Amino acid sequence: MKKSSIFGLVIIAVAIAVIISIYSSSSSYGSFNDAKQTESQLRVVGYLDKQKELYYDAAKDANYFSFYVKDKKGEECKVVFRGTEPQDFGKSEQIVLTGQMKGSEFHASEILMKCPSKYTQDKINVTDVKAKSATI
């Protein structure tokens, strides 16, 4: 075989490996009920339940934040985020959580908030927050 043919095959193999890697690491969307039935990462779209308490005590544990979210199907679940409370969290209109269920709680590794803009009423600000990795 020519060197150019071998080089082309290597490039194709690398491209296929990248596509498979991206596909396998992506999480899908679902509800809290779907999250209870799977052990893999899942994205849940919902709304912050402002009637329930947001718990964050930096003096006790700066990397523990919990709150309640109702998903689009109306199911409510306690969410635990291993990180600090995101700025303007209480103002969020919609929340996209990435994580998985552990017992009866949803442990989020990433929070994506859609907040109303303070400059225009037609546009929405999007804020992305990731949890700190747990050291065990």
Side-chain angles (χ1 to χ4, degrees), residues 96-136:
V96 179
L97 304 165
T98 303
Q100 61 190 34
M101 292 297 288
K102 291 185 181 174
S104 63
E105 300 174 336
F106 186 83
H107 286 249
S109 58
E110 185 176 354
I111 299 174
L112 180 68
M113 301 181 311
K114 295 182 181 176
C115 300
S117 173
K118 60 184 173 184
Y119 300 111
T120 62
Q121 294 182 4
D122 297 338
K123 295 187 179 181
I124 295 177
N125 287 341
V126 176
T127 305
D128 188 13
V129 182
K130 294 185 188 248
K132 295 184 179 184
S133 24
T135 307
I136 299 174

Side-chain angles (χ1 to χ4, degrees), residues 30-46:
S31 64
F32 287 125
N33 193 32
D34 297 333
K36 289 175 186 173
Q37 298 173 6
T38 183
E39 293 183 14
S40 62
Q41 291 271 322
L42 190 69
R43 288 190 177 120
V44 177
V45 179

